[in-house]
Amino acid sequence: MAKQHPGPHAEAPAEKGQRWWRVMCLTGLDYFSTLGYQPGIAALAAGLVSPLATIVLVVVTLLGALPVYRRVAQESPHGQGSIAMLERLLSFWKGKLFVLTLLGFAATDFMITITLSAADASAHLVENPHVHAALAGRQITLTMIMIALLGAVFLKGFSEAIGLAVVLVALYLSLNVVVVANGLWHVLKAPHVFHDWTAALTAEHGNVPAMIGVALIVFPKLALGLSGFETGVAVMPHIEGDPDDTEEKPTGRIRGARKLLTTAAVIMSVFLITTSFITTLLIPADQFKTGGQANGRALAYLAHQYLGSTFGSVYDLSTIAILWFAGASAMAGLLNLMPRYLPRYGMAPHWARAVRPTVIVLTLIAFLVTWIFDANVDAQGGAYATGVLVLISSAAIAVTIAAHRAGQHHWWIGFAAISAVFLYTTVVNVAERPDGVKIGACFIGGIMLVSFLSRLKRAFELRVTDVALDEVAARFVRDYTHRPLRLIANEPNSRDLAEYRDKIHQIRRDNDIPAEDDLVFVEVTVLDPSDFEAELTVRGEVLHDRYRVLALQSSSVPNALAALLLQVRDLTGQQPHIYFEWTEGNPFAQFLRFFLFGQGEIAPVTREVLREAEPDRSRRPAVHVG
């Protein structure tokens, strides 16, 4: 199996990890910062039912998403998340295409996190009464500037500053505690506010069962409150483990990650319920709409309204800082995620391994998304929710399959039920706001196109990462340190005596090889042709007491043969020769067979791989075709 690229920002699970609660603050940059816009979006989407729908969302969070991601943390403790779980469960092209589709939705999630967070940060800045007159109408420009500054940070060099994350999250949550406590106090001080809300709710929806039914129907619109779980498992490598943790069994890290996920979910659940309650009761409905003072900044509206301009400005600054830094967390997630998968699939250009060119491309995409959505927080909510829900649904399906394969009957049924809930939520969200799927489809289409073109361009690249010979194969090669090794490329069929006798007779006749020159067969069995990079293990055999065979397993026959020839040359100092017969059939069809299935026109492709890998003709292994 190919080695996995860790990504340019990945850090080794160090002896010096961070305490789980500090890493939780890193996750909180994405998760807790949604309080900046979630209450306003919830009120706009669900209206008077928003508090009840939020309670349903919290139940789904604590009894659905949390158990799922606690299991993901156990199954994938190195930060790869649910995508890696599904990658292990699927193979061949269908697995690669499925993973690329999930990467498209992950890109949607992270990219919209950057643009939506920057848009909301600029909304908080524009609506601040001290600067409103000067900045009114400049939200798109301000959002672009924030995204550009974010890109500049990464171009200069970025490492996740957990210490700064702790300060920002602690300050932001503390200010939110003040706002929530003040809001609840105003509700208690003016009981008519609560009675007015219940009266309006009863007039609109009738009895309590009807209200609950409506809440169940509209809660998918509040799906933004589920964000942050995928980030929670992505930051696992930063968590300090036990002294006896190993990479194969990081028990302490898994325990810390579960504490992180549980604590973050409980904190966020409390804030979701309380903020939805006070914003719905205390803010006029028309203020949530586009152009309203609470649009995208409901809690900031309450901070200014009830705690004064100075406190409100401090709250705005805190919100702007955490939203901007949430974009940094999302950018780091993208830079870790894409290089982890695409290069192994042969589906990334060479520059994708470098941070700076990738940052420039991602920043330009963020500019485009901001321009398309006019830096509107509400307009981006559907795309963000779609990305979040697709990833959570895939995680639920992954843990369901894992529990089923482990024979855990009760867990399997429970996770299957959770998967059904998230799939329903995803479908409803997509039906209500199809713009999320459209944006996701654009990312998926872009990834697929770049991937296909890149793999086509790199079709003749030597992509074997290592060649290992077993004892018998190594002995075969050592016999040719003073004479060139002559190999016959053979497609293994029945592997009986007649197959090898007829093949060696044909090769000698077609290439006029003297009888005294001994020949060694080489056979490649294609395993998963969709793999791009792989290690090569060469096994030596003696068949029918007379024919020596080097047997290999690889994703591509020409690549495996080219890698073996170069290894033999380096070990023996001799220029090896390999003999083929021409393949019958249309050359274009044979190339497609090679591109998709690792077979096809083997001889010319092997020669081309060798030509690209070794420019010096005097040192290049010789390819003969008869």
Side-chain angles (χ1 to χ4, degrees):
M1 184 176 179
K3 295 178 180 177
Q4 197 171 59
H5 291 277
H9 283 277
E11 295 179 11
E15 302 94 40
K16 295 181 180 180
Q18 297 281 343
R19 300 291 297 275
W20 66 267
W21 59 269
R22 289 174 62 84
V23 181
M24 183 188 71
C25 293
L26 186 64
T27 306
L29 295 172
D30 178 19
Y31 198 17
F32 300 142
S33 67
T34 58
L35 290 172
Y37 46 81
Q38 169 71 11
I41 289 178
L44 197 61
L48 294 172
V49 188
S50 175
L52 299 179
T54 301
I55 292 174
V56 175
L57 176 68
V58 166
V59 171
V60 172
T61 297
L62 297 179
L63 300 183
L66 181 58
V68 164
Y69 276 93
R70 283 171 62 91
R71 180 64 178 256
V72 171
Q74 176 185 328
E75 298 281 345
S76 182
H78 304 296
Q80 303 100 320
S82 58
I83 295 178
M85 292 180 63
L86 288 169
E87 184 189 31
R88 291 196 298 267
L89 296 171
L90 299 169
S91 60
F92 297 97
W93 282 109
K94 64 178 182 295
K96 301 293 188 298
L97 294 175
F98 185 71
V99 168
L100 287 173
T101 301
L102 289 180
L103 286 175
F105 282 110
T108 303
D109 181 7
F110 286 122
M111 185 58 65
I112 299 297
T113 297
I114 294 170
T115 58
L116 187 148
S117 297
D120 195 49
S122 63
H124 280 77
L125 186 58
V126 169
E127 294 299 329
N128 186 281
H130 296 296
V131 296
H132 178 72
L135 299 179
R138 301 179 184 273
Q139 187 167 341
I140 294 180
T141 302
L142 290 171
T143 303
M144 296 281 196
I145 291 172
M146 289 186 181
I147 292 172
L149 289 173
L150 178 65
V153 170
F154 279 86
L155 289 175
K156 182 178 176 61
F158 176 84
S159 62
E160 292 85 349
I162 292 180
L164 179 58
V166 171
V167 173
L168 287 176
V169 168
L171 175 63
Y172 184 65
L173 292 184
S174 298
L175 293 174
N176 274 291
V177 168
V178 175
V179 174
V180 168
N182 182 266
L184 292 174
W185 181 74
H186 275 85
V187 171
L188 293 174
K189 189 174 70 170
H192 68 87
V193 174
F194 180 78
H195 294 308
D196 291 345
W197 171 65
T198 55
L201 197 59
T202 303
E204 186 173 308
H205 300 292
N207 54 37
V208 173
M211 297 175 195
I212 295 174
V214 172
L216 290 171
I217 293 172
V218 302
F219 100 89
K221 298 179 180 180
L222 281 61
L224 287 179
L226 290 166
S227 67
F229 282 100
E230 197 72 28
T231 311
V233 294
V235 298
M236 279 187 67
H238 295 284
I239 298 175
E240 180 183 42
D242 293 336
D244 57 348
D245 272 8
T246 63
E247 280 302 291
E248 293 74 25
K249 194 175 181 181
T251 306
R253 183 195 301 170
I254 293 172
R255 185 172 61 252
R258 288 179 162 184
K259 290 179 181 178
L260 178 157
L261 293 166
T262 302
T263 305
V266 170
I267 291 173
M268 192 63 177
S269 296
V270 172
F271 275 112
L272 284 173
I273 293 174
T274 54
T275 56
S276 175
F277 181 72
I278 63 174
T279 53
T280 303
L281 268 64
L282 295 177
I283 300 177
D286 60 334
Q287 294 296 330
F288 291 112
K289 298 177 182 178
T290 301
Q293 295 181 32
N295 181 252
R297 57 189 303 275
L299 293 177
Y301 175 91
L302 291 180
H304 282 278
Q305 189 78 9
Y306 294 109
L307 292 166
S309 180
T310 301
F311 181 89
S313 295
V314 172
Y315 185 86
D316 280 338
L317 289 174
S318 171
T319 305
I320 291 168
I322 196 169
L323 284 169
W324 182 80
F325 215 60
S329 178
M331 181 74 84
L334 280 170
L335 291 174
N336 274 327
L337 194 63
M338 297 303 178
R340 190 182 295 277
Y341 292 97
L342 298 185
R344 288 192 296 114
Y345 293 177
M347 295 179 172
H350 288 291
W351 54 260
R353 297 178 188 265
V355 173
R356 288 181 174 83
T358 308
V359 168
I360 293 173
V361 171
L362 294 176
T363 302
L364 292 175
I365 293 173
F367 285 158
L368 178 62
V369 172
T370 298
W371 176 71
I372 290 173
F373 285 106
D374 290 327
N376 187 297
V377 175
D378 300 329
Q380 297 179 72
Y384 188 25
T386 299
V388 169
L389 286 171
V390 168
L391 290 180
I392 293 181
S393 299
S394 68
I397 293 170
V399 298
T400 301
I401 297 173
H404 179 68
R405 291 190 174 183
Q408 299 168 331
H409 184 68
H410 295 297
W411 280 111
W412 172 68
I413 293 176
F415 285 135
I418 293 171
S419 299
V421 171
F422 284 125
L423 287 172
Y424 157 76
T425 307
T426 304
V427 170
V428 170
N429 188 274
V430 169
E432 290 281 341
R433 306 185 72 175
D435 52 323
V437 169
K438 293 175 184 176
I439 292 295
C442 290
F443 279 108
I444 293 168
I447 288 175
M448 294 286 189
L449 178 62
V450 172
S451 300
F452 176 80
L453 294 177
S454 176
R455 183 146 182 158
L456 190 64
K457 183 175 182 295
R458 301 173 64 189
F460 302 116
E461 182 180 308
L462 185 65
R463 52 193 197 237
V464 174
T465 57
D466 187 39
V467 180
L469 285 72
D470 72 1
E471 185 177 346
V472 176
R475 189 170 67 248
F476 288 173
V477 172
R478 283 197 302 269
D479 288 344
Y480 292 88
T481 53
H482 300 294
R483 53 188 173 133
L485 172 62
R486 299 184 184 276
L487 294 168
I488 297 176
N490 182 54
E491 183 176 355
N493 293 308
S494 60
R495 305 190 86 195
D496 58 9
L497 177 63
E499 176 182 337
Y500 294 102
R501 183 186 59 221
D502 294 345
K503 185 74 173 183
I504 204 168
H505 175 72
Q506 175 193 339
I507 292 296
R508 288 189 185 279
R509 183 192 63 212
D510 291 346
N511 295 276
D512 196 24
I513 300 175
E516 59 269 17
D517 286 0
D518 55 346
L519 300 168
V520 177
F521 288 92
V522 58
E523 299 175 345
V524 181
T525 301
V526 176
L527 297 177
D528 183 352
S530 64
D531 285 339
F532 189 75
E533 293 181 343
E535 296 178 354
L536 198 63
T537 300
V538 184
R539 188 180 71 254
E541 300 176 279
V542 178
L543 298 182
H544 310 296
D545 296 325
R546 58 187 300 185
Y547 298 114
R548 288 179 291 179
V549 179
L550 295 174
L552 305 83
Q553 291 182 331
S554 178
S555 60
S556 168
V557 175
N559 248 273
L561 294 175
L564 175 63
L565 290 167
L566 292 171
Q567 181 77 355
V568 169
R569 180 205 64 186
D570 294 340
L571 291 175
T572 64
Q574 301 287 329
Q575 184 182 33
H577 296 251
I578 188 166
Y579 297 88
F580 297 92
E581 60 177 298
W582 285 113
T583 305
E584 297 293 331
N586 183 280
F588 181 73
Q590 295 296 340
F591 174 75
L592 287 180
R593 282 188 63 210
F594 158 69
F595 183 75
L596 295 173
F597 306 113
Q599 303 183 62
E601 191 63 273
I602 305 300
V605 176
T606 302
R607 197 264 178 189
E608 182 60 21
V609 173
L610 286 169
R611 190 186 68 81
E612 287 203 5
E614 178 52 79
D616 186 352
R617 293 188 63 176
S618 64
R619 301 192 70 246
R620 190 185 305 155
V623 176
H624 307 268
V625 189

